[in-house]
Amino acid sequence: MAISIDSLSVSRGGIKLLQGVDIELGNGQAGILRGPNGVGKTTLLRALAGLQPVESGTIKCSLEDICYSGHADGVKPTLTVQENLEFWANIFGSHSISEVAEKFMIIDLLNTKVGNLSAGQKRRVGLARLGLTGRQVWLLDEPTVSLDEASVKIFGNIIKDHLSKDGCALIATHIDLGLENRTQLIDLSKYKATLGELSSSNEAFI
């Protein structure tokens, strides 16, 4: 299994959101997190990425295998697109940014400062770092925000390519990415904790 989650419980702001979450995803498989706003999709992804503590349960996936992409684009507006990509390439030991820039349709923007880009273009630059990490497991929180229809389709194909190379992805989205039979739909509503149940951790006071 690329990622295995067993009886996991997570909280936010001192209130337990999810309990008893069980998810297993193998190589070449994507999980699509569904559920209403506030159910805990972002909290679950952040917990899996090691960005906040879990209440209980186990996660079997090395943090060294994980790349997390949240709501923020994670780019420096005063740097050019090329400078932003080179920064991430240096961190993760990638040798070239040209292939990634082509895939994410930003090759013509390399010399442009990110602060001068549209919201959709900034989003593509932020997502492009996924292709530079070499990580097996992608945790994606609403990755298609600000993307137009054509860009969503291209991003879906990029995820397909990642899965075809034994990668794995867990994605919070209500958009059809065209992943077909590679997808496991996961409705987090069935793991919703008892309303108002307090967390056993001191997260709210950290």
Side-chain angles (χ1 to χ4, degrees):
M1 286 293 158
I3 185 168
S4 179
I5 303 166
D6 183 37
S7 299
L8 194 72
S9 295
V10 296
S11 63
R12 181 178 65 220
I15 302 297
K16 188 179 290 186
L17 292 182
L18 299 169
Q19 58 187 8
V21 179
D22 294 314
I23 299 173
E24 287 196 345
L25 293 174
N27 296 332
Q29 196 173 19
I32 306 297
L33 298 178
R34 294 283 170 83
N37 291 340
V39 75
K41 298 185 291 292
T42 294
T43 300
L44 176 61
L45 290 174
R46 285 178 54 82
L48 299 180
L51 298 176
Q52 66 181 65
V54 301
E55 286 280 316
S56 60
T58 59
I59 302 169
K60 293 181 180 178
C61 182
S62 170
L63 290 178
E64 295 300 315
D65 292 332
I66 287 175
C67 179
Y68 170 73
S69 178
H71 291 159
D73 294 324
V75 292
K76 298 291 186 182
T78 57
L79 300 181
T80 65
V81 171
Q82 180 167 334
E83 288 168 337
N84 271 277
L85 294 183
E86 287 177 344
F87 171 80
W88 288 106
N90 289 334
I91 286 180
F92 292 106
S94 299
H95 299 294
S96 173
I97 65 172
S98 57
E99 182 179 353
V100 167
E102 287 278 5
K103 282 184 177 180
F104 284 84
M105 301 187 307
I106 53 177
I107 192 71
D108 294 332
L109 302 173
L110 289 178
N111 294 320
T112 305
K113 287 190 175 181
V114 170
N116 295 328
L117 301 179
S118 70
Q121 290 171 331
K122 289 177 185 175
R123 191 61 171 169
R124 295 205 305 272
V125 174
L127 291 172
R129 72 179 182 273
L130 294 168
L132 298 171
T133 65
R135 301 291 176 90
Q136 180 189 23
V137 178
W138 291 359
L139 304 178
L140 310 176
D141 194 359
E142 301 292 349
T144 60
V145 170
S146 300
L147 296 184
D148 58 24
E149 186 176 349
S151 297
V152 169
K153 185 175 181 179
I154 288 172
F155 184 60
N157 288 333
I158 288 170
I159 295 177
K160 282 183 182 179
D161 182 61
H162 176 63
L163 300 180
S164 72
K165 297 173 181 176
D166 284 337
C168 176
L170 185 59
I171 313 166
T173 183
H174 291 282
I175 301 296
D176 181 7
L177 295 172
L179 303 180
E180 300 153 353
N181 60 353
R182 298 174 180 267
T183 302
Q184 179 185 147
L185 294 179
I186 303 163
D187 185 358
L188 291 184
S189 298
K190 65 181 180 180
Y191 299 115
K192 188 174 180 179
T194 303
L195 184 63
E197 185 175 351
L198 295 178
S199 165
S200 61
S201 76
N202 61 355
E203 175 202 357
F205 305 99
I206 295 176

